Amino acid sequence: MVAGIQIIVREVLECYFNIFLIFYFVFTRQEDKRFGVKMISLTDSQKIGMGLTGFGVFFLFFGMILFFDKALLAIGNILFVAGLAFVIGLERTFRFFFQKHKMKATSFFLGGVFVVLIGWPIVGVVLEFYGFFLLFRGFFPVVVGFIRRIPVLGSILNLPFISSPS
């Protein structure tokens, strides 16, 4: 039972952290004169969103570490969703969550947030994880491609028995 919960906690945290990394690396690009790289700059609201998302992941992490503390998980959920709205904007957030083909995923994710808020943290986190996976499954190949460029992790992911599709 405890091993299963630890696996769920690890997977949820990895997903949240990977999404945070994607948003960070996509939106914090600025021009770096040392390397001649032209990057995208962040607006102030996007910087606030990055902070809110980071704090949301932090509170979710410690809420899970402290045996699914309801208050920390609730704060983490609210901060994560608010940070996402600040980073990509309210209109694009609503368009992302409420697309016709993503309604099942959105209902699981937001339902999980609601279940955590009413006081059933383990059930809520499981619902959130399933909804999160359905919502962001299009980002996972991007995350894997990004991780493959990291020196140590990339060499592990490029091993024949891991990188083969079977």
Side-chain angles (χ1 to χ4, degrees):
M1 177 74 173
V2 173
I5 291 174
Q6 288 175 340
I7 291 171
I8 291 171
V9 168
R10 187 179 67 230
E11 293 297 322
V12 169
L13 289 176
E14 285 178 8
C15 288
Y16 280 128
F17 185 70
N18 288 336
I19 295 298
F20 175 74
L21 281 179
I22 289 171
F23 284 131
Y24 179 77
F25 286 116
V26 167
F27 291 111
T28 59
R29 297 180 180 170
Q30 298 172 356
E31 188 170 343
D32 191 348
K33 295 186 181 15
R34 293 175 296 167
F35 302 110
V37 178
K38 183 153 179 123
M39 300 183 190
I40 303 169
S41 64
L42 279 175
T43 64
D44 287 339
S45 64
Q46 288 173 331
K47 290 176 186 175
I48 291 170
M50 292 302 297
L52 288 174
T53 306
F55 278 118
V57 170
F58 173 79
F59 278 106
L60 285 168
F61 175 73
F62 278 109
M64 288 183 203
I65 291 223
L66 296 173
F67 301 111
F68 291 93
D69 183 53
K70 293 180 236 181
L72 291 176
L73 289 173
I75 291 170
N77 284 325
I78 292 169
L79 289 175
F80 181 78
V81 173
L84 185 65
F86 268 91
V87 169
I88 65 175
L90 275 176
E91 182 183 344
R92 290 191 343 186
T93 301
F94 279 113
R95 272 193 276 145
F96 175 77
F97 277 108
F98 296 108
Q99 294 174 8
K100 200 168 210 150
H101 66 281
K102 290 186 179 182
M103 287 306 289
K104 177 182 172 185
T106 300
S107 62
F108 271 103
F109 183 75
L110 296 179
V113 170
F114 179 72
V115 169
V116 167
L117 290 175
I118 63 172
W120 294 351
I122 295 176
V123 175
V125 167
V126 169
L127 290 174
E128 277 181 48
F129 175 67
Y130 181 65
F132 185 85
F133 175 74
L134 291 177
L135 275 172
F136 295 104
R137 65 181 163 193
F139 290 120
F140 292 137
V142 175
V143 171
V144 170
F146 174 75
I147 292 174
R148 284 185 187 214
R149 290 185 291 178
I150 297 174
V152 175
L153 296 175
S155 60
I156 293 171
L157 283 177
N158 287 327
L159 291 173
F161 58 89
I162 294 176
S163 65
S164 65
S166 59

